Amino acid sequence: MKRKYCCSIDSVFKIILFLFLFTSVVSCNSGKSGAEAYKHMGISMPENASPLLKNMVLAFTSRIEKQSECKVSTGDAPFVVRLTLKSEMEDEAFSIEDIESDIIEISAKNDIGLMYGMGKMLHTSKFENGAFIPGTWRGYSSPVCKVRGIYMACHFNNFYEVAPVDEINAYIEDLAFAGMNTIIFNFPQWQYDSFDDTLARKNLERIKLLIRSSKNIGLKAGMLECENQGFKTAPANTRFVKYPDDLGRRGYLGVSLCASKKQGVDYLMNFWNKFLDEFNETGLDYLVFWPYDEGGCGCRQCWPWGAKGHVSISAKIMELAHTRWPECKSILSTWMYDTPEAGEWEGLYKALKNDSSLFDCIMADAHEDFPRYPLENKMPDNRPILNFPEISMWGLWPWGGYGASPLPARFHALWNQLEGKADGGFPYSEGIYEDFNKYMCLRLYWQPDLSAQAICDEYVAAYFSPNVVEKVSKAIQLMEKTHNRNVTADGKNVNIHNAADSVQLIFDLIKQADGMLNTVVRESWRWRIIYLRAQIDDILIQKKGRIEGEELRKAFNELIEIYHSQTNHTSKIGPPDFVR
Ligand SMILES: [Zn+2]
């Protein structure tokens, strides 16, 4: 029997029966007719469910059980979510339908599609009075972009480098439920002496654990590296020649090598052979080659790097990867190409036209506007373009230091600059404070025509409650007005004072919403970073920008706990360390 939101006589009868007999179904308080509330539900998997699907189901049920008193079992229950594989469906798509009054079916062609369906159900459901109220979204959904990734940089002692692995794994599951299908990490060799360096081992083993657990829930995984970078012990005769960087936009972390002279190439090939061997057990689905910010060489043979050295050495490394994993895909990044103009784009296009086997995808983006060249010039052989939105650092110092940093209008506008030409991408992440921005990018990859408002509303309903959508969605959008801040040497915050009214309104809205949330949500890190952002800004206004006092110290300390950023003050990831 098909049913939308109305209680059938049958379901009412069942509710009454269970109320009396098992007290496992509680009365509906959702305000939506027919959306029953459950304290016991079942989940049924296809016969011969894969280990991946079982892991996904564990992630799904653990979220329901964490947020409510609802117990999830595989046996009889007053309400059942049935997972069904249907070979005729599109790859990664899912559908959610009512089968009977007490059975909802999530269908997909493959396990990962079922995971996205479970994510949709989680994000549209409610948790009230200890009960789970299944979401009422029904329909079919298929992702538009094929590569929906996140890049988690594991360096600077940031969240990904220091947080407990289980916490990061849970976060990766969250992102998969939001539509992510690929995750990439990086190994910061420039921080270490060798592969045997204790800290290098620690970093690599952590990355491998994260890759393994990502693959255990059906994600693709890869590494992003500046391919001409070595350990800090790399001999002087391997080193690069400084390239022109008139605008000072390309970072340099001290260990770039020449990709043309023999000593440099020998070092790099040796490094990459050993580096790829590290992943023999997990395998790699993607390698992303990064040109600058560190990386690059300005010698006569390598320059212009983006057209010559970067292309040739990345291609050589890709040959090493293909001997291990023939299916491994290559992505060439063009970050900071032609700043200033050096003919890098033209040179790259020429190389790509000459050799159709060079690179599976091209990644493009910039600190600000999306580069025009790949938009105005068709990519040779229609190689897909991926973006790399900088969601972590823009207008922030310290990164994440004041709590959540949602920028809905900015990332929506940057997405629109792509004119529908991207097939996905990898937002660049330094931590969890920009969780909203990740969600926004993942949702745009899935459904490119979503409005910023719609995504804000979805995010609030998904992670906090449908009951606070209006207030929190408005506050998140206002936070963009109060995002930019400059902290001067004397600790005075100068910018948010231009938006004092917004700061006041944001905190009022957040305090009102705080009183409407259940305890689990109210105490969750996602809510706390939003709350603390609102509170910190409000205190700063009252203190006329002076970063001082116990109230601020307490708020910053809570952020430090959430980010596990006790050890990374020197890199300025996390809250300011100069509270007076
Ligand atoms: Zn060189």
Side-chain angles (χ1 to χ4, degrees):
M1 184 181 69
K2 293 273 177 190
R3 178 181 65 91
K4 278 291 174 194
Y5 312 131
C6 304
C7 275
S8 65
I9 292 171
D10 182 47
S11 66
V12 169
F13 173 75
K14 279 182 180 163
I15 288 169
I16 293 167
L17 186 69
F18 278 102
L19 264 176
F20 279 100
L21 293 179
F22 305 106
T23 61
S24 59
V25 179
V26 299
S27 62
C28 165
N29 290 307
S30 69
K32 240 186 180 176
S33 67
E36 290 91 348
Y38 297 95
K39 288 200 172 175
H40 179 200
M41 65 171 278
I43 185 144
S44 99
M45 280 186 262
E47 268 185 50
N48 304 320
S50 72
L52 294 189
L53 183 57
K54 287 175 185 166
N55 293 336
M56 294 166 180
V57 167
L58 268 181
F60 175 69
T61 57
S62 72
R63 276 156 181 76
I64 291 173
E65 293 188 339
K66 190 181 168 200
Q67 292 201 63
S68 69
E69 295 155 25
C70 182
K71 293 289 162 228
V72 187
S73 66
T74 51
D76 281 346
F79 160 71
V80 172
V81 172
R82 183 202 287 166
L83 304 177
T84 306
L85 290 168
K86 292 182 180 168
S87 58
E88 69 275 18
M89 287 178 69
E90 291 170 282
D91 192 25
E92 300 191 303
F94 66 85
S95 70
I96 303 181
E97 297 173 87
D98 291 299
I99 297 299
E100 292 177 29
S101 57
D102 52 4
I103 300 177
I104 292 176
E105 184 177 66
I106 300 176
S107 312
K109 179 178 184 171
N110 41 28
D111 293 338
I112 193 84
L114 291 176
M115 179 140 195
Y116 299 138
M118 288 187 271
K120 186 70 173 180
M121 169 153 284
L122 278 176
H123 292 165
T124 52
S125 295
K126 287 207 230 183
F127 298 89
E128 287 185 351
N129 302 321
F132 171 63
I133 305 170
T136 52
W137 188 93
R138 302 290 180 270
Y140 179 87
S141 185
S142 177
V144 171
C145 298
K146 287 202 175 58
V147 184
R148 303 179 305 281
I150 295 289
Y151 165 49
M152 292 183 172
C154 292
H155 57 191
F156 300 149
N157 282 345
N158 69 6
F159 179 82
Y160 305 119
E161 196 175 18
V162 299
V165 168
D166 286 350
E167 223 172 282
I168 305 172
N169 282 338
Y171 189 48
I172 290 171
E173 288 171 2
D174 283 352
L175 297 170
F177 280 129
M180 177 176 77
N181 66 359
T182 308
I183 187 150
I184 52 174
F185 303 97
N186 85 303
F187 172 64
Q189 57 266 47
W190 61 272
Q191 290 184 186
Y192 310 121
D193 287 339
S194 72
F195 283 110
D196 298 324
D197 186 323
T198 312
L199 292 174
R201 292 308 326 152
K202 197 174 163 197
N203 185 298
L204 266 172
E205 295 309 324
R206 164 178 286 257
I207 288 170
K208 286 193 270 185
L209 273 178
L210 295 174
I211 287 181
R212 196 174 301 129
S213 46
S214 299
K215 288 186 161 233
N216 282 343
I217 52 164
L219 300 176
K220 291 191 165 49
M223 295 298 294
L224 179 154
E225 297 293 320
C226 281
E227 74 278 351
N228 75 316
Q229 204 171 42
F231 290 114
K232 59 188 179 189
T233 50
N237 64 2
T238 61
R239 301 292 178 117
F240 82 139
V241 174
K242 185 91 185 88
Y243 44 76
D245 188 13
D246 304 349
L247 304 175
R249 305 303 306 277
R250 296 160 171 161
Y252 170 58
L253 295 172
V255 202
S256 296
L257 310 186
C258 177
S260 295
K261 66 182 171 191
K262 187 175 180 311
Q263 297 92 329
V265 177
D266 287 350
Y267 182 102
L268 288 171
M269 287 300 111
N270 183 44
F271 170 87
W272 273 93
N273 259 315
K274 287 184 177 158
F275 182 64
L276 296 177
D277 279 345
E278 293 284 344
F279 303 95
N280 280 342
E281 193 203 328
T282 59
L284 292 175
D285 302 298
Y286 283 94
L287 278 178
V288 185
F289 300 104
W290 202 257
Y292 296 114
D293 206 37
E294 60 265 25
C297 176
C299 81
R300 200 184 286 231
Q301 286 74 31
C302 290
W303 191 256
W305 180 248
K308 289 166 77 180
H310 182 42
V311 176
S312 62
I313 195 77
S314 301
K316 277 199 185 93
I317 293 164
M318 211 52 220
E319 286 173 19
L320 299 181
H322 279 150
T323 60
R324 290 162 174 83
W325 316 292
E327 301 299 316
C328 182
K329 295 231 179 337
S330 55
I331 301 174
L332 191 82
S333 166
T334 58
W335 181 257
M336 290 292 109
Y337 263 36
D338 285 328
T339 51
E341 180 64 45
E344 293 188 293
W345 275 113
E346 286 92 342
L348 171 65
Y349 269 50
K350 202 172 156 195
L352 295 177
K353 274 180 196 153
N354 287 340
D355 184 352
S356 61
S357 72
L358 274 181
F359 310 113
D360 296 294
C361 308
I362 301 300
M363 182 185 271
D365 223 314
H367 286 294
E368 285 93 15
D369 291 338
F370 195 84
R372 294 306 305 168
Y373 193 93
L375 295 178
E376 290 165 357
N377 298 275
K378 202 161 164 280
M379 192 62 73
D381 293 326
N382 285 323
R383 288 171 178 86
I385 301 176
L386 305 177
N387 76 343
F388 187 79
E390 195 285 84
I391 60 170
S392 283
M393 304 180 295
W394 188 81
L396 268 184
W397 192 255
W399 304 335
Y402 300 89
S405 60
L407 293 167
R410 173 176 171 77
F411 291 111
H412 201 264
L414 286 172
W415 176 249
N416 284 340
Q417 287 183 359
L418 278 154
E419 302 164 6
K421 290 177 179 159
D423 202 16
F426 290 91
Y428 158 50
S429 174
E430 286 282 354
I432 51 173
Y433 53 90
E434 25 70 323
D435 178 66
F436 172 86
N437 300 334
K438 288 194 195 83
Y439 182 84
M440 174 139 206
C441 294
L442 291 173
R443 291 298 291 132
L444 288 170
Y445 294 151
W446 190 284
Q447 190 180 335
D449 62 353
L450 280 172
S451 68
Q453 175 77 48
I455 295 172
C456 284
D457 292 354
E458 268 189 17
Y459 182 83
V460 176
Y463 296 110
F464 308 133
S465 164
N467 301 338
V468 298
V469 164
E470 200 180 326
K471 293 181 199 306
V472 181
S473 190
K474 185 171 181 183
I476 283 176
Q477 289 170 81
L478 281 169
M479 280 178 183
E480 192 152 7
K481 275 189 167 183
T482 61
H483 175 87
N484 281 322
R485 58 199 64 218
N486 293 321
V487 179
T488 53
D490 62 355
K492 278 202 171 182
N493 184 307
V494 292
N495 272 358
I496 60 169
H497 289 275
N498 299 334
D501 290 349
S502 296
V503 168
Q504 177 80 59
L505 179 54
I506 291 167
F507 196 34
D508 285 347
L509 290 165
I510 293 298
K511 278 189 291 189
Q512 288 166 31
D514 193 62
M516 298 164 68
L517 297 172
N518 71 42
T519 313
V520 178
V521 172
R522 196 183 304 128
E523 292 173 357
S524 68
W525 66 263
R526 243 187 214 92
W527 177 249
R528 289 304 298 165
I529 63 172
I530 295 242
Y531 187 96
L532 290 167
R533 161 71 188 277
Q535 184 189 28
I536 287 168
D537 286 357
D538 187 66
I539 300 170
L540 286 174
I541 293 287
Q542 292 169 38
K543 291 192 173 292
K544 303 194 183 336
R546 289 187 306 278
I547 297 183
E548 62 179 22
E550 269 316 296
E551 215 180 354
L552 267 184
R553 187 182 300 279
K554 191 162 168 274
F556 285 134
N557 281 342
E558 189 179 340
L559 285 177
I560 288 169
E561 293 287 321
I562 292 170
Y563 301 160
H564 302 281
S565 67
Q566 292 87 345
T567 57
N568 60 20
H569 289 232
T570 49
S571 64
K572 296 293 180 200
I573 295 170
D577 54 1
F578 43 80
V579 184
R580 293 169 188 182

